Amino acid sequence: MNQNENLDQALEQIDLEKNLNRIKYKILVLSGKGGVGKSTVSANLALSLALNGNKVGLLDVDFHGPSIPRLMGLEGRQVDMKNDKLVPVNFSENLKVLSLGMLVQSRDAVIWRGPMKMGAIKQMLKDVEWGDLDYLIFDSPPGTGDEPLSVVQLVKNATGAVVVTTPQALSTSDVRRSIQFCEKLNLPVLGVIENMSGFVCPSCGATHDIFKTGGGESMSREMNVAFLGKIPIEPQIVQASDEGKPYVYHYGKSETAQSFLSIVEQLVEKIKGAKT
Ligand code: ADP
């Protein structure tokens, strides 16, 4: 790399940090692998914080299928440009959303090569007009490979990570790696959420532990990280997500939405406790 390239990179990093410094708390949502509900948790976390009166941004940098536009009912929404910056889409007065899926309008699979991914992540951190926010929630790429690594390395002063798992051992063993990944990168683990934990049968009322239960909780204890709570398997979540009706927003009174809210309460307590 020559001197000019070095200078360009340093200037880019300064711009990026300037932009992110206007955000009080930056939370990365991670998972050991795909399909455990990371995007669902990211969206409902952002919504719950916004419903509590905070100014929130939700940034979807999951290359494997950016699902936030669909989950939030924002499919097909275009991102505007203002003064050379991307303007996130307003979901509500308190919640702004930007997803890779909004920047790549084609429904065809996009073949992202390494440097393109890095460039796209950088642009979504540096060239977005978030304004002043209380929280920015990152729906990060799953796993512990180059993609989440780029996100963690670029968001230098992140508040911490929330790790999503399902209860069975196959998933919790991947999550152990996610926690070690955070430790190696000096990213505080704010806590673990166990998703798809038990199913309450609507007919008989009995709880069935389809993917077992408690795996995330015992793993958290063992690894000495906070456990933030469990979310059950909830058929309404699937239906609501498919219909683009964000769950806690439309079904706020349900027991599962209350679980989300209590997780958020714990998370906020943990963040504010760590700050003082
Ligand atoms: P990831 O981001 O980890 O790949 P998603 O959030 O896209 O996972 O969720 C994968 C699928 O599982 C989606 O269809 C979503 O609606 C569903 N899902 C997520 N959490 C739950 C839950 N608690 N109960 C039922 N379905 C869920």
Side-chain angles (χ1 to χ4, degrees), residues 10 14 60:
I14 290 171
D60 172 15

Side-chain angles (χ1 to χ4, degrees), residues 44-62:
N44 284 289
L45 204 58
L47 281 158
S48 306
L49 287 163
L51 286 169
N52 284 345
N54 298 291
K55 293 273 176 221
V56 183
L58 172 60
L59 178 61
D60 172 15
V61 279
D62 186 350

Side-chain angles (χ1 to χ4, degrees), residues 29-44 60 62 64-68 71 139-140 142 164 166 194-199 211 230-242 247 256 260:
V29 182
L30 302 173
S31 65
K33 59 178 175 184
V36 298
K38 175 180 52 61
S39 299
T40 305
V41 167
S42 304
N44 284 289
D60 172 15
D62 186 350
H64 296 262
S67 44
I68 291 295
L71 275 171
D139 183 4
S140 313
V164 182
T166 49
E194 185 176 301
N195 189 32
M196 306 193 196
S197 179
F199 170 70
F211 297 131
K230 297 177 187 176
I231 315 267
I233 295 173
E234 169 63 79
Q236 247 178 356
I237 289 187
V238 181
Q239 197 186 334
S241 308
D242 282 358
Y247 184 72
T256 305
F260 270 115

